[in-house]
Amino acid sequence: MIVFVYARDAHYGIGKDNGLPWHLPADLRHFKRTTTGQTIVMGRKTFDSMGGPLPNRKNVVLTRSRSFQAEGAEVIHSLDDVLQLSKQEAIYVIGGAEIFALLWDICDKHIVTVIDEKFEADTFVPPLSEQEWELVETVPGPIDEKNRYPHEYRTYVRKQAK
Ligand SMILES: NC(=O)c1ccc[n+]([C@@H]2O[C@H](COP(=O)([O-])OP(=O)(O)OC[C@H]3O[C@@H](n4cnc5c(N)ncnc54)[C@H](OP(=O)(O)O)[C@@H]3O)[C@@H](O)[C@H]2O)c1
């Protein structure tokens, strides 16, 4: 099973200058709850942006570079490698846009934080088509002094072909 976990804004932006466009600690907690204990797969640029592996998760980094090494992370090199891994265990794909594009058509589930605000962004994901994806859960995120942007945590599953 392939699960995408990400946050996007009202215009489908997900990144800016190899970082996140917003500060939303409640979403980081949601991300931690969702991925702890799981295998997370990410592009090399996203890995670089995090400054190191995330604790209590198996970190897997996708890169074309044969010399890339990262302490605390497994390194893989191709779509085939991702598919092999996903046959052995559920994988939680955490971005970025290049990796989402690579796996978009075969992903089974999106756990997406939708932020109802427009940010400056240079990295985007496409919208989810209603024909293909069913919204099965929506949970509102907290709004408070530290989390100023209205947001909700949505789960979409791929509709079965009829
Ligand atoms: N909002 C969110 O939830 C969220 C989540 C994740 C990331 N982001 C943001 O997204 C941005 C980064 O996304 P991005 O699209 O620029 O980069 P990315 O997807 O994180 O990484 C791209 C890199 O992945 C490797 N790669 C891509 N396709 C490959 C393939 N078929 N085989 C092997 N390796 C492959 C390449 O690494 P090499 O160049 O090393 O070969 C490529 O440069 C940042 O701003 C980050 O903060 C946001």
Side-chain angles (χ1 to χ4, degrees), residues 53-152:
L54 295 178
N56 306 316
R57 281 147 275 198
K58 178 169 145 189
N59 288 242
V60 179
V61 182
L62 188 58
T63 174
R64 292 188 180 89
S65 163
R66 292 282 157 183
S67 57
F68 179 84
Q69 285 183 334
E71 202 170 321
E74 194 177 298
V75 180
I76 59 173
H77 298 288
S78 67
L79 173 59
D80 257 12
D81 290 346
V82 180
L83 297 179
Q84 282 302 325
L85 195 62
S86 73
K87 281 182 198 152
Q88 294 157 21
E89 56 193 310
I91 60 169
Y92 287 68
V93 176
I94 64 163
E98 269 192 56
I99 302 314
F100 289 142
L102 181 70
L103 300 169
W104 197 264
D105 291 336
I106 54 170
C107 152
D108 302 290
K109 192 193 264 196
H110 288 244
I111 299 176
V112 50
T113 301
V114 176
I115 305 171
D116 190 13
E117 183 76 53
K118 166 84 177 79
F119 296 87
E120 232 183 88
D122 57 21
T123 315
F124 297 85
V125 289
L128 289 174
S129 98
E130 277 184 27
Q131 276 88 44
E132 276 179 88
W133 295 97
E134 183 181 359
L135 180 61
V136 293
E137 188 178 81
T138 304
V139 178
I143 306 179
D144 54 35
E145 259 177 35
K146 289 183 180 153
N147 299 280
R148 283 180 289 136
Y149 311 115
H151 63 287
E152 58 187 30

